[in-house]
Amino acid sequence: MALAANLGFPRVGAARELKKAVEAYWKGALSSTALLDTAKELRMRHMNLQKNAGVDIIPSGDFTLYDHVLDTIAMVGAVPTRYGAVAGDVSLDTYFAMARGSQKDGTDVVAMEMTKWFDTNYHYIVPEFRKGMKFTLSSRKVIADFVEAKEAGITARPVILGPVSFLLLGKCYGEDGLDALSFLPDLLPVYESVLQELHAQGASWVQIDEPCLVLDLSDAAKEAYKTAYARLSTVGCSLMLTTYFGALKDNLALATSLPVEGLHIDVVRAPEQMDDVLAHANGKVISLGIVDGRNIWKTDLSKALNRLEHAAERYSADKIIIAPSCSLLHSPIDLALETDMDAELKSWLAFATQKLDEIVLLRDALHGNKHVIAFSNNEAAIADRQVSIRIHDKAVQARMAKLSAKDTERHSAFDDRIEKQRTALNLPLLPTTTIGSFPQTQEIRAMRAKFKKGEITEQAYDAFLEQATTDVIRWQEEIDIDVPVHGEFERNDMVEYFGEQLNGYAFTQHGWVQSYGSRCVKPPFIYGDVSRKNPMTVRWSAFAQSLTKRPVKGMLTGPVTMLQWSFVRDDQPRSTTCKQIALAVRDEVVDLEQAGITIIQIDEPALREGLPLRHADWKDYLTWAVESFRISAAGVQDETQIHTHMCYSEFNDIIHSIADLDADVISIETSRSAMELLDAFVDFKYPNEIGPGVYDIHSPRVPSQSEMEHLLQKALDVLKPEQIWVNPDCGLKTRGWAEVRPALEAMVAAAKAQRQQIEKSQAA
Ligand code: 39S
Ligand code: ZN
C-alpha cells in the first residue's frame, strides 16, 4: 500500500509564536525554559495536526529554533572557534551567537554568514570550514526530537541534512584551495553515530536531504555521494534520500545507484523525470513529490491521481510514497485562518495544512477509496480557476502583444544621459544617499496594526506617517544628505506593499513564511494578469519632495523581485508574468517623473537568487529578467536618473547582465567584504555609476568615519571619483535610530572629507 508522507512542516506557528518567543528570549524578557516550552508545544501541535490529517510518515527534527542548517552545524560540532564553545556541546547561547553574533560582557563576535537556500526566499546559515576542523557529535537534538515524538505516541521519520549537501552548501575560509569535500572522511563518523543512535531508539527510516543532487555536480561531488552512502547505508536505518527543487537530470543514474532504500524526487518542478526514475529505481521505495510545497495553488487531484496510477502500474503501489515536492516550510500554514479572503480566490488555494489533506486524499484514492465529494470539489475549483474572468485582462494582453525592443530602450545612451542628469541634478562629487527605508520602529508597526484593525482612522494614520516623513526629511537636511529619501514608513514590506495595490495580485492576513531566523514575510500571490490600479507611491514621494529643495529619491520594487518574492501563477510562463509587472512598474516610474521626482530607484535584490539552479538555463532567465527591468525603467526622459539596488549579491558571473540593466546608478553591498565585491565591476570596466555600500547595516555596530573613509579610498583606488556614490549597504528598516543616526552622520562626514581631498588634488 502506498503511504502518505510529509517532508517538513512550517515552524513559526500559526500566530508566529516561535518568532515572538525567540525575540523575547533575545531581549531577556523570556527564560530559556519558557522558550523551549513554546518550541515543544509547537512541535507537538504540528505533529498532532499531521497525525490527525492522516499522514502516515511524519517528520521529526524538522523543527528548529533558527535554521536547520545551523542545527546541522551544531549536530556535527562545526562551531567556529571564535564562539569559544566547549567541544561536544553547543549551548543555546552559542547557537544564537552563531546565528546573530554577540556583543556582551565585553566580547564582540560576528555572526556566521547567511545566504539564500537554493532559489527560495529562505536564508540559511553558511557552514564555515577551516583547515584542521574536527567534527564531533555536539547536539543530540535530532535524536531528542525523535524520542519526544515517540513518547507522544508518534514514530516519526527523522530528517537530517545529508553530509554531501552540508559540505557543498558551506564555504571554506582561510587557505586558498581548501575543498569542503575534503572534510567528508572526518564528517561521516558523526553521521554514522547519529544514525546509530536513531536506529537504537527505533527509527526504521531516516529522511536524509540531499538537495544538491539537482545541481550541476563536479566529478568529485559525485564521488563523494558514492563514498558517503556506501558508508551510511550500512548503519541500519533505511535511508530516504531526498531531493527537491528540480530534476536529477545527469545525476539520475548516480542517485538511483546509491545503496539507499528510498529516493524522493520533485515531480512538481520536474514531472518529466518520474518515468525515468521509476525505470531505474532498482527496487527502491520511490517518494513522489506531487503536491507543490512551494506554492499556494490547489493540486489538480485528478491529474495527480492519473500520474500516481500510471506510476503504480509501471512500478508497484507498495513501493510508492505520496509526498509534497519539498518541505512545507515554504508555504503559509493554514488557509482556514484567511477569514477575510474573497471566497473565489480562496477556493483556488491550499496552504501547508490543506496540502497534507491533498496528500492523504491522493493516497486513499490510489487505494481505490476515492473521496468523491472532495475530488469533485477540487475539480470544480480547478475548472473555475482556469476560466474565471478575473484571471484574464484584455487590456494587459493587448499591451503585452505590443511590447517591442523599443520599450526596453532609454532615449539616449548612458554617456549622453549622464551629462544631462549631472546638469539637472547638480550634485557634489561622491553624493550621499541611503537605500530607501529608515527604521521600522515598534511604534510604526503598532500604528499600522491599529489602523488595519480599525482602531484608528485613516486620517490619524496618515497624519502620523506625514509627521514621521517630515521628521526624517528635516533630519536628512540637517545632516546634509545630498539625496534624501522619504523613509518608507507607510510600507509593511517592499513586496507586499505593492502586491496590495496591483490588479491580479492578492494578499493574505496570516500567510507568514519564514525568511530567516525569526523574520517572516507575507508573500502576496499573483493569480491573474497584473496591472496598476492607481499610482502606488506618488503620494508619499511627492509629499516628501514638497518638503525640500533637494532631489528626493523615489523607491520601487523591481519586476524580478516582485515575481521572485511572491507566489506566482502557474498557468503561464514566469517571464510573461514578470513583463506584466514590469509594465505596471513602468507606469509608476513615469508617474513619479510627472510628479517631479528626478531620481527613481528600482530595487532588484532578488535578481541573482532567481537564477535557475542549472547553468544551462541561466541565459534564458537572464534575458527576460534584464528585459523586464529595462521595460520598467525605460519610460522616462534622459534627465531622470534611474538607480537600482542589489544586496547579498555576488556579481562576477552575471556582471554582463548587471551592465545590461543600464541603470544610471547601482548600489551594492560591499562593506563586509571590504570592497572585494567591487572587483567584478572593475574587471569588467563597468561604465555607469556605483554606490558601494560603506556601512554594514546587517550588524548593530556603528562604523566610524575613518572606517568608512578607508572603504571609500579603496573604491577610489579602482573607480573614477565621478562614478562613486556614498551609501549604506542596504535599507535601514531593521536597524534602530540609536545606531542609524551616528552612522549616517559619520558617513556624510566621510564623504565630505574624501570630497575635499579629491578637490584639493584636482586643483593642484
Ligand atoms: N523578502 C521580502 N518580501 N521582503 C524583504 O524585505 C526581504 N528581505 C530579505 C530577503 N527577502 C525579503 C529578507 N529580509 C523582515 C526583515 C528582513 C527580511 C525579511 C523580513 C522583517 O522584518 N519581517 C517582519 C517580521 O518578521 C515582518 C514585516 C511585516 O510585514 O517581523 N510587517 C508588517 C507591518 O509592518 C506586520 C508587522 C507585525 O508583525 O505592518 N505586526 C504585528 C501583528 O500583526 C503588530 C505590530 C505591533 O503591534 O507591534 O501582530
Ligand atoms: Zn539591500
Side-chain angles (χ1 to χ4, degrees):
M1 298 282 267
L3 298 178
N6 187 21
L7 304 184
F9 198 77
R11 307 129 176 182
V12 277
R16 287 183 298 159
E17 292 90 336
L18 181 62
K19 171 203 173 63
K20 289 167 194 167
V22 166
E23 288 180 357
Y25 173 74
W26 291 339
K27 271 193 236 149
L30 195 75
S31 70
S32 60
T33 321
L35 169 63
L36 297 178
D37 284 349
T38 301
K40 175 168 184 174
E41 201 273 311
L42 284 167
R43 284 194 296 271
M44 287 299 114
R45 190 198 301 168
H46 296 158
M47 285 225 161
N48 284 318
L49 189 149
Q50 295 174 77
K51 184 179 163 189
N52 296 336
V55 176
D56 304 302
I57 300 171
I58 296 171
S60 68
D62 56 329
F63 179 87
T64 171
L65 289 171
Y66 197 93
D67 163 47
H68 58 272
V69 183
L70 183 58
D71 288 1
T72 317
I73 292 168
M75 180 179 89
V76 303
V79 182
T81 50
R82 65 179 178 280
Y83 301 104
V86 191
D89 182 43
V90 178
S91 70
L92 196 56
D93 287 343
T94 302
Y95 179 85
F96 284 136
M98 287 192 280
R100 322 175 54 233
S102 141
Q103 279 177 314
K104 66 177 179 198
D105 316 328
T107 64
D108 186 350
V109 281
V110 295
M112 295 177 76
E113 274 189 56
M114 191 167 72
T115 197
K116 293 279 167 157
W117 179 244
F118 296 84
D119 55 356
T120 73
N121 196 3
Y122 178 79
H123 305 63
Y124 71 94
I125 299 288
V126 182
E128 257 180 68
F129 304 122
R130 284 193 164 74
K131 197 172 178 202
M133 196 156 188
K134 291 278 171 264
F135 304 102
T136 26
L137 180 52
S138 302
S139 159
R140 288 187 155 69
K141 169 189 167 286
V142 67
I143 299 142
D145 286 357
F146 176 78
V147 172
E148 176 189 84
K150 191 170 70 174
E151 282 165 1
I154 293 173
T155 304
R157 185 173 71 183
V159 185
I160 54 180
L161 175 61
V164 182
S165 291
F166 176 71
L167 292 174
L168 293 175
L169 291 168
K171 199 169 145 185
C172 292
Y173 292 79
E175 252 164 79
D176 274 356
L178 188 63
D179 175 11
L181 291 171
S182 68
F183 292 96
L184 186 65
D186 288 329
L187 184 61
L188 286 177
V190 184
Y191 271 84
E192 277 178 327
S193 345
V194 171
L195 292 176
Q196 267 155 9
E197 288 200 29
L198 285 170
H199 190 57
Q201 290 293 346
S204 50
W205 279 86
V206 170
Q207 172 187 327
I208 193 153
D209 283 7
E210 288 286 5
C212 288
L213 278 168
V214 307
L215 306 180
D216 297 321
L217 292 176
S218 66
D219 290 342
K222 290 180 186 168
E223 274 313 305
Y225 273 111
K226 291 182 196 161
T227 311
Y229 287 91
R231 280 218 27 207
L232 299 183
S233 61
T234 62
V235 177
C237 304
S238 296
L239 298 181
M240 177 54 72
L241 186 72
T242 301
T243 69
Y244 37 81
F245 300 154
L248 290 164
K249 290 204 170 146
D250 54 325
N251 303 324
L252 190 145
L254 169 69
T256 52
S257 71
L258 295 174
V260 291
E261 287 73 15
L263 175 65
H264 172 88
I265 56 168
D266 186 335
V267 291
V268 173
R269 277 251 174 125
E272 72 287 351
Q273 69 174 340
M274 187 176 88
D275 282 353
D276 252 5
V277 169
L278 291 174
H280 295 89
N282 291 327
K284 287 183 186 9
V285 174
I286 298 296
S287 168
L288 296 170
I290 201 159
V291 167
D292 196 344
R294 286 185 59 173
N295 213 332
I296 39 110
W297 306 111
K298 264 187 183 155
T299 306
D300 181 337
L301 290 179
S302 300
K303 202 165 132 195
L305 180 60
N306 275 339
R307 303 243 302 276
L308 292 171
E309 281 168 348
H310 168 82
E313 262 163 46
R314 281 188 66 113
Y315 201 53
S316 153
D318 294 344
K319 295 220 157 182
I320 284 176
I321 287 181
I322 301 154
S325 58
C326 58
S327 167
L328 298 176
L329 163 66
H330 310 288
S331 20
I333 186 159
D334 189 0
L335 185 63
L337 301 171
E338 301 302 322
T339 46
D340 287 356
M341 194 185 288
D342 171 279
E344 185 182 16
L345 292 183
K346 196 172 166 184
S347 78
W348 301 343
L349 308 183
F351 291 178
T353 306
Q354 289 68 41
K355 287 173 192 292
L356 297 174
D357 295 336
E358 294 185 339
I359 290 161
V360 169
L361 283 168
L362 286 169
R363 174 201 63 195
D364 290 349
L366 191 63
H367 297 166
N369 178 18
K370 193 163 163 179
H371 298 250
V372 179
I373 295 176
F375 266 74
S376 70
N377 286 345
N378 174 272
E379 221 162 273
I382 301 290
D384 178 66
R385 186 176 155 219
Q386 276 162 3
V387 300
S388 171
I389 51 161
R390 301 170 65 172
I391 288 184
H392 305 291
D393 182 331
K394 288 223 172 69
V396 173
Q397 286 171 5
R399 212 173 159 201
M400 288 284 290
K402 273 198 301 199
L403 265 181
S404 73
K406 211 178 92 244
D407 299 306
T408 65
E409 300 288 344
R410 301 277 305 261
H411 296 292
S412 310
F414 172 74
D415 286 344
D416 295 333
R417 298 195 308 261
I418 197 71
E419 285 311 316
K420 295 184 191 170
Q421 291 165 16
R422 283 185 183 144
T423 308
L425 292 168
N426 196 24
L427 294 168
L429 265 182
L430 306 181
T432 51
T433 189
T434 61
I435 305 305
S437 60
F438 271 102
Q440 279 276 335
T441 58
Q442 199 56 40
E443 187 194 14
I444 292 170
R445 295 218 150 124
M447 284 302 268
R448 180 155 49 249
K450 278 190 189 161
F451 166 58
K452 290 204 167 168
K453 281 186 215 142
E455 290 168 13
I456 56 169
T457 62
E458 181 159 9
Q459 287 89 320
Y461 180 55
D462 243 46
F464 170 80
L465 291 175
E466 285 196 352
Q467 191 58 54
T469 309
T470 307
D471 291 347
V472 87
I473 290 284
R474 291 281 167 264
W475 180 72
Q476 290 171 94
E477 286 188 315
E478 234 165 75
I479 69 160
D480 208 10
I481 294 240
D482 301 306
V483 177
V485 297
H486 76 276
E488 303 181 17
F489 302 116
E490 75 287 2
R491 301 187 189 174
N492 45 5
D493 172 76
M494 57 182 286
V495 171
E496 197 184 0
Y497 182 75
F498 292 95
E500 284 173 357
Q501 302 188 66
L502 289 164
N503 291 316
Y505 253 105
F507 55 95
T508 67
Q509 287 167 276
H510 304 283
W512 293 102
V513 178
Q514 188 178 15
S515 180
Y516 68 87
S518 70
R519 299 282 180 176
C520 302
V521 292
K522 226 175 331 116
F525 63 98
I526 306 168
Y527 63 87
D529 292 336
V530 175
S531 62
R532 205 182 53 145
K533 292 178 200 167
N534 294 300
M536 302 183 285
T537 64
V538 173
R539 188 247 184 270
W540 289 107
S541 286
F543 173 73
Q545 186 62 82
S546 74
L547 302 171
T548 178
K549 291 205 161 58
R550 297 174 192 236
V552 174
K553 181 165 69 173
M555 273 85 51
L556 302 172
T557 305
V560 182
T561 301
M562 284 298 297
L563 184 85
Q564 191 64 21
W565 292 352
S566 304
F567 291 116
V568 181
R569 58 192 288 195
D570 53 1
D571 58 348
Q572 69 180 21
R574 286 170 75 83
S575 54
T576 306
T577 306
C578 196
K579 286 183 188 169
Q580 292 181 355
I581 303 170
L583 285 169
V585 176
R586 180 187 178 100
D587 293 343
E588 186 71 12
V589 170
V590 169
D591 277 353
L592 281 170
E593 180 184 61
Q594 288 293 312
I597 305 299
T598 51
I599 302 184
I600 301 166
Q601 176 174 300
I602 307 172
D603 285 349
E604 285 292 17
L607 184 83
R608 193 173 205 294
E609 82 189 44
L611 276 173
L613 297 176
R614 297 284 193 154
H615 232 282
D617 305 322
W618 279 25
K619 202 170 161 228
D620 178 54
Y621 162 78
L622 285 168
T623 303
W624 61 255
V626 167
E627 265 172 30
S628 299
F629 180 88
R630 293 177 63 120
I631 290 168
S632 72
V636 289
Q637 301 304 311
D638 286 344
E639 287 75 7
T640 298
Q641 188 164 67
I642 298 289
H643 290 216
T644 188
H645 166 71
M646 290 176 197
C647 26
Y648 307 114
S649 295
E650 285 168 32
F651 296 96
N652 288 297
D653 46 4
I654 56 164
I655 188 75
H656 282 93
S657 302
I658 303 288
D660 278 351
L661 297 177
D662 198 26
D664 299 309
V665 183
I666 180 172
S667 60
I668 56 172
E669 175 183 330
T670 40
S671 70
R672 241 183 223 197
S673 67
M675 301 280 149
E676 242 172 60
L677 266 176
L678 268 184
D679 292 352
F681 290 84
V682 176
D683 295 345
F684 181 77
K685 301 197 172 46
Y686 184 76
N688 301 12
E689 300 194 354
I690 311 181
V694 293
Y695 162 21
D696 173 14
I697 67 88
H698 297 102
S699 160
R701 275 190 76 245
V702 175
S704 66
Q705 177 181 333
S706 67
E707 253 176 281
M708 290 190 273
E709 278 197 57
H710 178 69
L711 289 174
L712 273 176
Q713 276 160 0
K714 284 185 122 181
L716 282 160
D717 284 345
V718 294
L719 298 167
K720 288 178 285 185
E722 313 79 66
Q723 239 185 321
I724 303 175
W725 284 67
V726 182
N727 47 256
D729 267 344
C730 197
L732 299 164
K733 68 180 174 188
T734 57
R735 295 265 63 89
W737 275 109
E739 307 139 31
V740 165
R741 275 197 200 98
L744 289 186
E745 282 171 17
M747 186 188 86
V748 174
K752 285 185 177 171
Q754 287 298 310
R755 197 179 288 161
Q756 262 177 12
Q757 286 208 0
I758 297 166
E759 278 158 4
K760 230 188 270 166
S761 72
Q762 282 178 345

